[in-house]
Amino acid sequence: MKLSKKIILCIITFLLSIPALTYAQASGSIRGTVIDSENGEPVFGATIVVRSEKKFAKTDFDGKYNLELPPGSYQVEYQMYGYGPQNRNIVVTAGKPTQMNVTFGAQVLQTVEVKDRAVNESDAALLQLQKKSASVSDSIGAESIKKSPDSSANEVVKRVTGITIIGGKYVFVRGLGERYSSTYLNDSYIPSTEPDKRVVPLDLFPASLIKNIRIIKTFVPEESAEFSGGLVKIETKEYPDDFIMSLGFGVGYNSNTTRNKWLTFKGGDFIGRTTADQSLPDIVKGVPNYLPFEPGSRFGGINPSLISLGAITFPSQWTPDQTKAPYDKNFNFTIGKTFKASETGERFGVIFGTTHSVDYRFRRQKDARYVPVNQIAPTVTEATTLNAIQTQDADLYVEERLFGNNLNFAFEPKAGQQFFLKNFYSVSSEKSVREASGTNNRDSFDFFSITNDFISRQLFNQSLGGKHALNLGGLNRAHTLDWQINYGEAKRDEPNLTQQVWRRTQGASITTLPTRLGNNPDGSRFYSTSADTVRSFSVAYEIPFDQWNGLKSTAKFGGSALDRFKSFTFREFGSKSNVGSSAADLYLVPGEIVFNPLEYVRTNSNGVANKTFSERQVEPNAYDAYQKLHTYFGQVDIPLIPKVRFIGGARYEDSFQKVKTFVLKEQFDVRKPGYGCDFDSEYERIALINSKVCPADNNGVGVIRTRDVLPSVNFVYEFLQDQNLRFGYSQTLTRPDFREMSPFAFTPYFGGDRIRGNPNLQRTYIHNFDFRYEYFMGGANYVGAGLFHKDLSNPIELIGQPVAGQISPFFTYANASRATIRGVELDFRREFFDRFRFETNVFFIKSLVNVISWEQFTVGKAGLLDQNDRGFSYDPTNIRRPLQGQSDFVANLKFDVYLNKLKTTTIGLYYNYFGDRIFIVGANGTPDAYERGVGLTDIVFSHRMDEKLDFKFAAKNVTDQRFRIYVKDELLNEERLFRSYREGVSFSMSASYRF
């Protein structure tokens, strides 16, 4: 599917409609929102009447209305069955809409200013949504995003209570790792571009295209149950009521990088896609991938001449180009309009937004890896010391590009009937050069390496849906039907990762020139591709009814079906010298000479080519995965008494997952069928493996079939006006991702960590308890405090494994026995003296993982476990510890100073802190690696010259914090370096103009 062609076609369709953008300056209008005071929800179907002009309008599903009138004074009536009518005297002026919001019911809610259709972009509107929400949630909208220094969703979301970001792009909610969260875009599940993670990297979503981000922290049946930390819901901007067009530009500078030495190579186009000359050569692609691209013999295989010819067609650049690092750059453009066909509700809305940015970052990173030494007993951890098996100092040069597009359509043929089509397309790329030097203490040599790598990620998501009011049998309040069809496609391409490695014996004179490593990975080329496709359909039907005391209630039921397909392959190619070492093997003789294409066709005196080119297919290098998920839910939202609201029900999820991992050359081997053994117990599994009936790796097949009924109970008690007490209990789950079930491993550079999947993983089951106090003080002012407790069965974590004669540590995924998490969340937002605004949120968390029982640990250490027992490969250093990736303390602080009364000039201070957290879980005596807590400080200056022109200046990480990961040497009682680096201070300037 040519995604770019789809986007171009949609853009052309939109641009053809631009000539129709007109506005009748001689007329005016009344517009606004009608709200129900009992539940804060918009009122659908209310009638707005101007009898003197014999004109009327009705509110839509958002409670919004728009009635065009000639200039003048009018008496306007607001009517709705079940509510008392209201009258307003309104003056209409030419060419300018008059705003009038109305609240039906006994209470009078604070008026919410509605600037355009996207009402839930503002902080105040999102707090009103949070106030009436059925679940515990936190949000951030376009209003706050615009003021912040953030450029993409991964930076935006870290400002939300209880959120931390790992690896710059993966969200941790309430200290739970990315596998315990799910990401939805415009209410649709989206696939992941990453072959080794279940979560979607949030740097794919440009901040300028986001309407709001909501973090749902407690489960209600209408939402997905596959989360425990949080459900991240991203909503892109929708069409406005009036014509809008804006244009923005920006530049940036980084203290570590800009105008300093910069290494790069040819690769990637302007928007970050792979170019044709980076792709696998046609001559290689023309050979079926189940035939390794290696020379055959007279008994069969591929003709060696064809292999040599193929080797010549690969890209020839090995040495990066050196230049000066450019400035960062960004651009964004948005245009939108609503076209009204009649005054009775028929309208067509459209919005298109695009953004492009490129950032350059240099980082100097130190790494070390260790093996434990214990002369007493492995269970006496206090006697364990650490010996380094490798150290590395690396210079990283990384160029990141982001190209995002949002194109949304909405059509309302009449009031109460709404259709929408939402399109999102994003390209994110990362081009990196890694220069490293280090020591290999296992094999006693120093090494030097250069790695060139390019990764392009593409995400396309399309949602077609509708919302319909059904007045069955003349009902007083209409039933509503929501439906949505979604298609998502995520691709990741990593073409031609090249590595060069030299070595020198430890202790040799510094005048001794290193020579080529001479074997894998020196001279290797690595190609990988992954594709993740999701097709889904969902439907929900809502029935309003009156509770026994006449209070308004709703019942809702529905279901969804999802099919997901994911494939991943990598192919590795290398060279072998047939003439021994030469002067060309000396350090810094470039790969362009050493791997000159002519070397594969030149022959020596024996008639053998100087070098032999071949594909390496030894370990599993591909997987195919599939998931089918059918869900059904039923829930009620009912006030038990006027101030106490109950939201509850259950969700049924029927899931089937299957992952098959294989070597490409063996994919059609009948001796390795595409199914595994089905085990009823661990004892049965061990017996069948020992009797040779089933292989230990289950033929590389992982299968999980579960059927779960997941209840949810939530109470909201408004004990005082604008103050809520919430209580919730629910059961949720987290399934292993495809990559976590796939037993293949690869390292992207010499000495790098290798991660292997585990086909025997089980899903995690979670019991969730939540309690929260909320005080909505008006506008965007708010106080909140919450407690939560989570009980996890079979939590999945990344653990270390024994190192077998090599310096690249192995890690795998495994189920621990149980984990508990307890936490406190505090949130405060307040404006003071009309000049200052202070916001802070903090959370404190304590977690405990019971990895395995003491009895199982002792038996394992005594060597009494069968070698095929799952516990045999899971030899934890600590059987009780905190949860991986969980910080015990996280805080956000924001302080704004308004420099003028109109609040058009602002200085903002942003601070984000996370406490120490486990980076990698230790095993086999190696201690857990902890990431040291750091605080990041950003400063933003913004100025709006008028209603059209905005300026912003931002300084990020102004204290240039050092990021440090360490391990503890128990015997010496000292911390040993695992990884450290600095990211530098970043400065940016941007301007936007609204036409």
Side-chain angles (χ1 to χ4, degrees), residues 556-569:
K556 195 171 188 179
F557 61 90
S560 66
L562 178 145
D563 288 306
R564 182 184 176 196
F565 306 85
K566 188 166 187 175
S567 62
F568 172 77
T569 62

Side-chain angles (χ1 to χ4, degrees), residues 598-599 601-610:
L598 294 178
E599 292 293 294
V601 294
R602 290 174 179 160
T603 58
N604 57 26
S605 58
N606 298 323
V608 178
N610 291 345

